[in-house]
Amino acid sequence: MPDGASEIHHEVELGLVIGTDGRNIPESAALSHIGGYVLALDMTDRILQMKLKSTGLPWALAKGFDTSCPVSDFIVKDKIPDPQEVDLWLKVNGKMRQEGNTKNMIFSIAFLVSWLSRHFTLERGDVILTGTPFGWGTKCSRKLLHIYKEHKTNEYIHSTVASLVGSREPIR
């Protein structure tokens, strides 16, 4: 975690992995550019973000620190036939912190891919985070987050995408 961080928030998100390069992709073709998915844990240094926002500075540092966005193993596209109908949830130490479905996102997945491709070329391997279901959680910034497949400590974060893939990220 970043030095001096005191409040790190985490949010589970569905990540889209681009499989085919594209620019100015129409919404009707957007899903054909997706090669697969990942489960992402988007973390933010909330105190730094507020400080930077209040001074008018970019707040990329609050979201772009080392280990700020661990992701699951690649999820084959066929495992999620309708990415606009995916349950996402996040538990911390067994307590539900987030639960939602991609059908309730502000922007559809096809819109996100299309809109982003109008502003820059999407390339194979790019990852787009789609946003988070309602809720978020905090964790102590002095503890390091690592991705593991198995629960290895008593303190952990557990998240899943439609029960297809689960990640347990022990906190040390």
Side-chain angles (χ1 to χ4, degrees), residues 2-103:
D3 290 336
S6 61
E7 190 173 328
I8 302 294
H9 290 192
H10 51 72
E11 304 168 340
V12 65
E13 300 190 29
L14 179 64
L16 314 175
V17 180
I18 298 301
T20 305
D21 294 0
R23 176 121 177 105
N24 295 314
I25 302 167
E27 277 189 63
S28 61
L31 297 183
S32 69
H33 286 266
I34 296 173
Y37 306 93
V38 292
L39 179 65
L41 191 61
D42 180 15
M43 296 194 291
T44 305
D45 181 339
R46 201 62 80 193
I47 301 299
L48 178 59
Q49 182 186 36
M50 289 186 294
K51 191 183 296 185
L52 292 168
K53 283 171 109 175
S54 72
T55 60
L57 292 171
W59 42 275
L61 293 178
K63 295 191 81 63
F65 53 89
D66 288 348
T67 72
S68 64
C69 190
V71 299
S72 70
D73 289 340
F74 181 77
I75 304 167
V76 178
K77 186 176 181 177
D78 295 344
K79 294 276 189 184
I80 300 180
D82 183 359
Q84 214 53 70
E85 184 63 53
V86 176
D87 291 316
L88 296 171
W89 56 267
L90 173 83
K91 288 183 180 180
V92 177
N93 292 329
K95 295 180 186 171
M96 189 68 74
R97 294 287 174 89
Q98 288 182 272
E99 188 171 19
N101 188 289
T102 55
K103 69 182 174 193

